[in-house]
Amino acid sequence: MTRKQKRGVLIGTAVAILASAAIMVAFALRDTIVFFQTPSDIAEGKVKSGERFRLGGLVADGSVERGQGTKVKFAVTDTLQTVPVSYEGILPDLFREGQGVVAEGRLDANGQFVADTVLAKHDENYMPPEVAAALKEKGVKLGEGAKHPGAKTN
Amino acid sequence: MIVEFGHFALVLAVVVALFQTVVPLIGTLSRERRLMETARPAAILQLLLLLTAFLALMQAYVMSDFSVANVAANSHSTKPLIYRISGVWGNHEGSMLLWVLILASFGAAVAIFGNNLPLSLRANVLSVQASIALAFGIFMLATSNPFLRLENPPIDGRGLNPILQDPALAFHPPFLYAGYVGFSIAFSFAIAALIEGRIDAAWARWVRPWTLAAWMCLTLGIAMGSWWAYYELGWGGWWFWDPVENASFMPWLAGTALLHSALVMEKRETLKVWTILLAILTFSLSLMGTFLVRSGVLTSVHAFAVDPERGVAILAIMTIFVGGGLALFALRAGELRQGGLFAPISREGALVLNNVLLTTAAATVFVGTLYPLLLEGLTGDKISVGAPFFNMTFIPLMVPLLIALPFGPFMPWKRGDLIGVSQRLIATAVLALVAMVATMAMTERGPWLAPIMMAVGVYVMAGALQELAYRAKIGSAGREEVLRRLWNLPRSVYGTTLAHFGVGMMVVGIVATSAYQTEKVLVMKPGDSVDVAGFTLVFNGVAPNKGPNYSEQVAAFDVTRGGQPVITLHPSKRIYDSPPQPTSEAGIHASWRGDLYTVLGDAQEEDGGYAFRFYFNPLVRFIWLGALVMFIAGGVSLSDRRLRVGAPNRKSRSNAPAGAVAAE
């Protein structure tokens, strides 16, 4: 093999791998990303039916129904709109009324959000940035723990 | 008093770092020996000062000195001693102190063991290393000082997040940081080489042991984090493609590529410019990891103690070092002498393929992790990129890498023979086919791809062993000859074999768990029983229990298999005293066949039943065992005599990582 051919094979392989990776990334980004929506977004009709998305907001006070078989029901609110959610399984330990939550799933025909995942978090004070931003956008005042997740206040 | 002493030591360390950044560099620019020689004592002094600061903070934690704001916010007097110690790095301020301490440890290790380095190179390396310490030291003093006192100390502290009170997690951050920060040495060497405008095979020989040590620590650190998440979080998973996980995985991928490209540079004096670039990129990804984890800009399930405002400061530091490093690279790379070309089918060619695939994989993880930030900046849409993205992009890049992997070590340098190597791998291929058929026979469902991927895992494991057998002439030479050869093989050969074997183990574990996991969610009353993957579990009710700093509800399951009693499992729900936070403790029966995993859920309102979640995760322990084997492989390689060539004394290489770890 000449020097030119050697270089050609090396560069060709590298370019081929990079190009196929780029194509895969482009397709994957089109097909697999899920959007983050708030209850107000749903009320405004921003969510297509059957589309998979992430729902974020606060767990509405007094909405959690546990202990009825393996199904759990609760509602997610951004204080302007509220969406009922059903979930089969065991809720994360830090799931609590009045706290931020992110769930992933789809809307059913009755406007109920059927979640297959409720994101666990490890820190009580942690508020997912999307939830914090979405609530701020809606003009909701947050407690100090939520404004600066984990910030030491003393 | 001791706390003030520690505070003072931290300030002094920053001053020493400033000195160590400036003076040796002036020395190399003006060729003044005496100025260059100051780097070494400065690096050692810096380590001693930071160690003093760290021990002072640890003392405050151990003695529960709640007049220190950091201790009051993160510790509690009833916490067991080990978690009072690990609490030092379980928070932002303390973890940054650990970060700079490890940084200084690596710098001091270069100063102490780098006798054979040319004086100017050593001065430049230590100067760059100190500049990183300087930036983070100022950052700590300005925004994250762990030594601040409270005017009115509380009677007791607020406690450490209970899920961090765990043995695996106590040691996860130190290993992870040793990995992240260890790559700073490769970065400093790269920058020093660019400043000098000269680079040769010796450079790779000096850098490789440090990179290997960092890579080992990062491997173990990530595996510990994954293992902890698996048994502590109660969702039965071991990897989530969460931004915080990706943040540690990207430097690992780049660091793995760096290890392999430095090999080519050392042996064949080629790929020099690429290796330098990779060294800069690997540490840049480590800095980015620190930024992503500390700032909380991305939604993560693993977010602890994040602070967006301080994140901006880390972003600024990162920009300076990454931008500066890359700019210097762009300016100087053209002046470095290129090495020769080589045939595509050769050891070099195989290692280039490894590098292309690993860095491309790192790039896809990078895109997937940061795309949400980019899109939000551009359009305001908030999105998340999850496991499906990474399965579609990352796995297709790993499959060719795994298939090519056993070929690499068989290939001679310069020019190889693909057909000859394939013939040598026939036994490996046969074993892989047997594994595929066995997988199909033993499972009833699961994706069609899974048996093939199981075969790939077995093929990588067997390929590693076959290479060793080939070198030792097992099967073709007499017993004595084989033993003599095995005895004489360099330890780095064993390191390679072990590391690649570990990769195969990991693939087997990942595929088996992902494809053949059993999951059941159901409500049970005392006396009820359930069958999970061949086990029969009888629920014996729930009882309260009191621990040292928590109270809990504990369920009891008698587990039998084929009528024989196996174990009694106790999944529980705990409420910690301070902070009053609930956690779930999974009940796990681990075996080679797989893990039986039970989680206690909510009590039923009416009939005294409880919700439960059960998993059976086949072969799951191979994932972490594979990582452990890779860690050990790194240690075996580090003990190789050839890596010590050019090292001043025989202890230096093996002591360096141990020293860095012991320093915590």
Side-chain angles (χ1 to χ4, degrees):
Chain A
M1 255 194 218
T2 64
R3 202 178 155 79
K4 222 173 188 177
Q5 281 171 321
K6 284 179 186 173
R7 182 173 295 175
V9 171
L10 284 176
I11 294 175
T13 315
V15 168
I17 290 172
L18 272 174
S20 35
I23 292 168
M24 286 187 303
V25 165
F27 271 98
L29 280 181
R30 208 187 57 186
D31 297 342
T32 65
I33 58 170
V34 291
F35 282 84
F36 177 91
Q37 312 283 10
T38 60
S40 295
D41 293 332
I42 296 171
E44 288 162 24
K46 283 189 188 163
V47 180
K48 285 178 227 122
S49 68
E51 185 189 21
R52 195 177 159 76
F53 67 99
R54 277 190 175 185
L55 173 68
L58 302 172
V59 181
D61 281 328
S63 70
V64 181
E65 295 172 29
R66 299 183 188 232
Q68 316 277 336
T70 53
K71 275 250 165 68
V72 188
K73 287 187 175 171
F74 58 95
V76 170
T77 177
D78 55 10
T79 68
L80 303 175
Q81 299 287 339
T82 303
V83 174
V85 180
S86 78
Y87 172 67
E88 172 144 22
I90 291 172
L91 287 169
D93 294 319
L94 291 179
F95 179 91
R96 214 170 298 157
E97 290 182 357
Q99 290 237 2
V101 68
V102 174
E104 199 169 315
R106 291 184 168 85
L107 278 181
D108 70 5
N110 308 322
Q112 176 171 261
F113 186 76
V114 182
D116 49 40
T117 315
V118 175
L119 287 196
K121 49 179 190 166
H122 311 339
D123 189 328
E124 269 195 309
N125 301 317
Y126 178 66
M127 173 78 83
E130 288 96 340
V131 175
L135 293 175
K136 207 172 156 195
E137 217 169 85
K138 305 279 185 259
V140 180
K141 280 220 172 111
L142 296 170
E144 72 179 344
K147 228 188 265 164
H148 298 291
K152 306 295 173 291
T153 43
N154 50 344
Chain B
M1 225 3 241
I2 293 178
V3 171
E4 275 65 36
F5 193 62
H7 194 165
F8 186 60
L10 177 62
V11 176
L12 270 186
V14 173
V15 176
V16 171
L18 177 65
F19 174 88
Q20 193 189 330
T21 307
V22 178
V23 176
L25 189 63
I26 295 175
T28 54
L29 294 178
S30 63
R31 301 185 193 286
E32 188 69 54
R33 270 193 82 85
R34 277 164 59 201
L35 295 184
M36 290 192 244
E37 275 164 356
T38 57
R40 173 183 254 178
I44 296 167
L45 182 61
Q46 197 202 125
L47 171 64
L48 292 177
L49 287 168
L50 284 171
L51 194 61
T52 308
F54 189 79
L55 290 176
L57 185 62
M58 188 180 276
Q59 180 269 346
Y61 268 88
V62 171
M63 307 305 282
S64 292
D65 181 353
F66 298 121
S67 69
V68 179
N70 188 254
V71 181
N74 298 297
S75 195
H76 193 274
S77 54
T78 59
K79 220 163 55 167
L81 179 65
I82 175 173
Y83 302 128
R84 268 185 273 155
I85 293 174
S86 71
V88 175
W89 54 78
N91 61 86
H92 170 79
E93 290 83 356
S95 72
M96 290 319 297
L97 186 57
L98 177 67
W99 208 97
V100 290
L101 174 67
I102 296 175
L103 189 71
S105 309
F106 273 94
V110 170
I112 294 167
F113 302 117
N115 280 329
N116 63 316
L117 293 175
L119 184 62
S120 63
L121 180 66
R122 191 173 74 200
N124 278 339
V125 167
L126 291 176
S127 164
V128 177
Q129 192 77 8
S131 68
I132 306 168
L134 178 64
F136 277 93
I138 293 172
F139 165 73
M140 281 186 67
L141 289 176
T143 71
S144 323
N145 194 329
F147 294 110
L148 297 181
R149 293 271 197 185
L150 290 172
E151 262 177 48
N152 302 304
I155 293 163
D156 215 327
R158 284 201 283 176
L160 177 69
N161 185 336
I163 61 174
L164 299 182
Q165 298 186 24
D166 179 274
L169 211 66
F171 297 103
H172 159 71
F175 274 102
L176 201 64
Y177 281 8
Y180 274 175
V181 179
F183 288 132
S184 68
I185 294 286
F187 176 83
S188 296
F189 267 93
I191 299 297
L194 287 172
I195 292 174
E196 297 205 338
R198 199 161 45 84
I199 186 168
D200 49 22
W203 184 92
R205 199 151 53 237
W206 290 317
V207 170
R208 221 153 63 80
W210 300 105
T211 313
L212 190 54
W215 176 89
M216 282 169 64
C217 295
L218 190 57
T219 307
L220 197 65
I222 296 174
M224 275 180 173
S226 154
W227 186 47
W228 166 81
Y230 168 76
Y231 68 72
E232 180 68 32
L233 301 182
W235 42 273
W238 53 274
W239 192 259
F240 204 65
W241 290 108
D242 181 271
V244 164
E245 297 166 8
N246 295 347
S248 66
F249 192 44
M250 285 184 270
W252 188 88
L253 288 168
T256 310
L258 176 61
L259 275 182
H260 290 88
S261 81
L263 199 64
V264 179
M265 183 165 157
E266 181 183 332
K267 296 279 156 54
R268 303 281 302 137
E269 282 234 49
T270 184
L271 291 187
K272 288 192 230 174
V273 174
W274 168 246
T275 305
I276 294 270
L277 178 63
L278 210 47
I280 296 174
L281 287 180
T282 303
F283 185 59
S284 302
L285 289 169
S286 300
L287 282 178
M288 196 188 73
T290 308
F291 163 68
L292 287 180
V293 174
R294 289 279 130 234
S295 68
V297 291
L298 293 164
T299 305
S300 164
V301 299
H302 307 304
F304 296 101
V306 296
D307 183 342
E309 278 143 39
R310 286 187 287 205
V312 173
I314 300 181
L315 186 63
I317 296 177
M318 184 181 130
T319 314
I320 293 169
F321 283 97
V322 177
L326 291 177
L328 188 63
F329 176 80
L331 273 176
R332 286 298 188 88
E335 291 172 29
L336 299 175
R337 266 196 40 229
Q338 286 283 357
L341 274 173
F342 41 81
I345 304 294
S346 62
R347 177 79 68 88
E348 298 93 316
L351 289 166
V352 168
L353 183 67
N354 151 304
N355 265 244
V356 172
L357 287 167
L358 280 173
T359 44
T360 309
T364 62
V365 177
F366 184 85
V367 171
T369 309
L370 293 184
Y371 186 68
L373 271 187
L374 179 76
L375 194 72
E376 193 181 341
L378 290 178
T379 68
D381 282 335
K382 296 189 183 68
I383 60 156
S384 82
V385 173
F389 171 86
F390 295 101
N391 292 343
M392 260 178 85
T393 57
F394 183 77
I395 294 173
L397 286 167
M398 284 300 110
V399 174
L401 181 66
L402 293 170
I403 289 173
L405 192 153
F407 282 86
F410 270 114
M411 289 278 181
W413 294 100
K414 292 184 186 175
R415 179 165 296 148
D417 169 12
L418 200 57
I419 296 168
V421 174
S422 310
Q423 283 167 343
R424 285 186 205 127
L425 282 169
I426 283 176
T428 294
V430 170
L431 210 62
L433 278 178
V434 171
M436 184 170 84
V437 173
T439 309
M440 287 195 282
M442 284 193 294
T443 54
E444 288 153 13
R445 53 190 180 81
W448 60 271
L449 207 54
I452 300 173
M453 289 307 293
M454 287 295 278
V456 169
V458 170
Y459 157 84
V460 171
M461 288 164 74
L465 292 180
Q466 194 164 12
E467 198 249 343
L468 194 67
Y470 171 71
R471 280 176 181 256
K473 294 207 167 174
I474 291 173
S476 62
R479 189 161 159 266
E480 263 176 42
E481 167 74 0
V482 167
L483 285 177
R484 192 186 60 79
R485 280 174 165 270
L486 280 176
W487 181 252
N488 288 334
L489 278 177
R491 290 202 206 149
S492 66
V493 169
Y494 284 102
T496 306
T497 303
L498 270 176
H500 289 171
F501 189 80
V503 172
M505 285 174 77
M506 212 176 223
V507 172
V508 166
I510 290 170
V511 174
T513 306
S514 311
Y516 303 113
Q517 185 186 55
T518 313
E519 183 185 352
K520 277 187 182 173
V521 180
L522 68 159
V523 171
M524 294 176 83
K525 279 181 259 181
D528 285 355
S529 76
V530 60
D531 290 331
V532 182
F535 291 102
T536 304
L537 292 86
V538 179
F539 176 40
N540 282 336
V542 170
N545 182 32
K546 183 94 185 83
N549 53 352
Y550 58 84
S551 48
E552 62 181 347
Q553 294 287 321
V554 189
F557 280 98
D558 285 330
V559 181
T560 55
R561 186 157 183 246
Q564 297 296 313
V566 179
I567 197 173
T568 307
L569 286 181
H570 296 287
S572 71
K573 266 195 180 309
R574 283 182 187 168
I575 302 265
Y576 277 77
D577 301 337
S578 179
Q581 181 174 317
T583 71
S584 290
E585 301 293 313
I588 302 174
H589 169 61
S591 71
W592 286 105
R593 201 168 73 91
D595 286 9
L596 180 64
Y597 190 110
T598 58
V599 187
L600 170 63
D602 292 323
Q604 297 296 300
E605 276 171 4
E606 283 150 24
D607 52 5
Y610 285 84
F612 287 100
R613 187 170 225 158
F614 303 96
Y615 295 98
F616 184 73
N617 300 314
L619 304 183
V620 67
R621 67 160 61 160
F622 277 75
I623 298 173
W624 305 296
L625 273 181
L628 187 64
V629 168
M630 286 155 85
F631 174 79
I632 294 167
V636 171
S637 271
L638 273 181
S639 70
D640 191 307
R641 238 218 235 89
R642 288 189 304 182
L643 273 183
R644 285 195 224 115
V645 170
N649 63 59
R650 53 203 324 272
K651 279 184 186 166
S652 68
R653 296 318 186 205
S654 49
N655 271 9
V661 173
E664 286 106 46

